[in-house]
Amino acid sequence: MNGIRRLVLQNVRPRTLCAHYSARAAPQRPKQTRLSAQSNLGPSAMSAHQVFAPLTKGCPVFKISQPITVLREPQQFYKQLIHGIKHAQRHICLSSLYIGSEETELVAELKNALARNTKLQVRVLLDCLRGTRTDSAGMSSAALLAPLVQQFGEERVQVFMYHTPALSGLSKQAWPQRYNETFGLQHIKAYIFDDDVIISGANLSRDYFTNRQDRYMRISDPQFSDYFVRLVSTIGQFSFRVLNGDQAAGYKLEMADGVADPTRDPREFVREANELMVQFLHRAEIEHAVEAGSISEHDTLAIPTVQMRQLGITQDESHMREFFELVHAFARNYKSRSLMASAYFNFSDQYKRSVLDSASRWDLLVASPQANGFYTAQGISQYIPDMYSIIEHEFAHMARARNDISIEEYMRDGWTFHGKGVWSYLNQPLPQLTMIGSPNYGYRSIYRDLEAQVTVVPGNTQLQKDIHQEALGLLAHSKIVSQDELKQRTRGSPLWLRGLKPFVMKKM
């Protein structure tokens, strides 16, 4: 089982899975970018499905027959969420970091849907630390959702709150809200309405519906949908449940009977959670395995992978390693280009090394300081964008000998950037692979948080065009930054800020 194994508590070692993206010939854009400069990638005797066939090993693989919808704007994302809630007949399943305490309209739509259809079931998976953090009015995600449990009962409404095992005992009591979230989070973003799944990196709060740019893809397939419903349900088995209770908080949290409490017995919790996830992933791999010979270049493939290193699950890590190796091997003989995006320039050391050592061309897209979510923060958090610029400059210095690696920063007036993923152009002007989901490809995506992403290998030109236009839309609001520009930006940064770099790289 690739990336799926039982946990050795004394020595949990990671693995990696896949990611791809290669070169493309871009249509004329308002400004020239390194990505759009390549127009002729050269021929290859191998199709993308052949090149990326190893990525189907050890993972569930879904052949998607219905058209996939690539959403481009936050407003489209919100409209699809509301549409899904209103039209779901069997189940609604929402997995996010949190639901904004101001999202009363979204919760009201859930309430109305439950009232209209007595057969409808709702599952919500959030992070416990983030989902119980209160705002200035004392409201939290848990308090916002608790009335649904009270009104419609636990048989129809289940609200799960995953809690990291890395924060327990006295340390849990010592760390205040917000800062305790650096130990690990439930970060998976998937929104399921019957057979429709919206895969994204966006959370459920107002800025993600208005002016915080992310990525969103709607995939319609009953088996694919069932996979994510079962994933959420499995995580729910080792998560706290939101129940009626404490009048002050508006809810209480309880673990299921027989499941270890991660805040009291983290080692036993990890053992039990690992056991449940291994069973889930093994079953999914067996039920949705495909033979390489049965895949046609006209098949659109969706390959979901998860990462839960604190629980001993390293499937996505293995998948990414395989992806980098495949792109590198291809690029040694043919022209190739890849784009990797993240909300923060905080790529893990292994991913940065994979880019630097790759024979492929690479473009890295991240938020500019002004488009960073911490840009208007108060206190020490306001220095986080400066820290990312320092890390960015150090990478640019490492890549100075390469003329085929570029860094682009997203800058759009009044907007922040939260997009992440990979686009791969091997030898065609249109992408032959994209990866979309929750990972930011940093240290905590690998080592601390629960993550999930989907690798999509398009089987038709229209989907390739849609994915390509998505990338161009993001790049239309970006500009290439040079090493000299980054050096100038970071000049004069206080030494204490540079001293915080190890903390930021592993915690943020």
Side-chain angles (χ1 to χ4, degrees), residues 320-387:
M320 289 295 293
R321 181 186 301 125
E322 183 75 29
F323 163 73
F324 280 115
E325 292 173 355
L326 292 173
V327 169
H328 172 66
F330 183 90
R332 293 177 65 182
N333 299 297
Y334 307 100
K335 292 183 179 180
S336 170
R337 195 160 199 165
S338 295
L339 168 68
M340 176 179 279
S342 176
Y344 317 102
F345 199 101
N346 198 18
F347 299 103
S348 70
D349 288 342
Q350 54 261 56
Y351 293 168
K352 286 190 288 188
R353 179 48 54 190
S354 294
V355 169
L356 291 170
D357 293 344
S358 178
S360 174
R361 298 177 69 103
W362 280 90
D363 298 90
L364 303 178
L365 173 63
V366 297
S368 66
Q370 295 81 2
N372 189 295
F374 292 98
Y375 186 68
T376 58
Q378 301 297 316
I380 195 171
S381 296
Q382 66 183 297
Y383 295 102
I384 292 178
D386 296 331
M387 176 56 68

Side-chain angles (χ1 to χ4, degrees), residues 145-171:
L145 294 169
L148 295 180
V149 180
Q150 180 180 10
Q151 180 173 353
F152 298 102
E154 298 173 47
E155 296 77 15
R156 296 187 60 200
V157 180
Q158 297 175 323
V159 180
F160 304 120
M161 293 276 177
Y162 170 83
H163 193 293
T164 174
L167 187 66
S168 61
L170 293 177
S171 59

Side-chain angles (χ1 to χ4, degrees), residues 17-160:
L17 261 162
C18 65
H20 310 56
Y21 165 92
S22 31
R24 62 180 169 123
Q28 186 65 39
R29 293 175 53 200
K31 62 182 187 305
Q32 181 72 15
T33 71
R34 296 170 66 87
L35 188 59
S36 65
Q38 186 168 327
S39 59
N40 184 12
L41 302 177
S44 167
M46 297 181 67
S47 70
H49 287 68
Q50 291 174 314
V51 172
F52 295 131
L55 296 179
T56 65
K57 303 300 181 183
C59 297
V61 181
F62 300 87
K63 295 182 179 181
I64 308 299
S65 58
Q66 296 297 317
I68 291 177
T69 303
V70 179
L71 307 175
R72 299 273 296 277
E73 297 288 338
Q75 296 85 352
Q76 292 177 304
F77 171 53
Y78 186 68
K79 288 180 180 179
Q80 285 294 319
L81 290 174
I82 298 301
H83 180 273
I85 292 172
K86 288 183 175 180
H87 292 84
Q89 297 298 311
R90 303 188 310 277
H91 56 249
I92 296 170
C93 190
L94 309 177
S95 175
S96 185
L97 175 60
Y98 67 101
I99 296 179
S101 57
E102 74 283 358
E103 294 308 320
T104 54
E105 179 184 4
L106 188 146
V107 175
E109 290 292 351
L110 288 173
K111 178 181 177 180
N112 294 337
L114 286 161
R116 285 194 306 267
N117 181 357
T118 58
K119 295 182 179 179
L120 182 67
Q121 292 188 325
V122 173
R123 296 181 184 90
V124 181
L125 171 65
L126 305 175
D127 180 73
C128 189
L129 298 173
R130 186 64 178 86
T132 56
R133 188 211 294 181
T134 54
D135 61 14
S136 58
M139 181 58 70
S140 66
S141 302
L144 191 66
L145 294 169
L148 295 180
V149 180
Q150 180 180 10
Q151 180 173 353
F152 298 102
E154 298 173 47
E155 296 77 15
R156 296 187 60 200
V157 180
Q158 297 175 323
V159 180
F160 304 120

Side-chain angles (χ1 to χ4, degrees), residues 478-497:
S478 71
K479 73 179 187 71
I480 295 176
V481 290
S482 66
Q483 181 184 351
D484 289 342
E485 181 179 346
L486 291 168
K487 181 179 180 179
Q488 182 66 30
R489 184 193 298 173
T490 58
R491 180 174 294 168
S493 298
L495 291 178
W496 66 263
L497 183 59

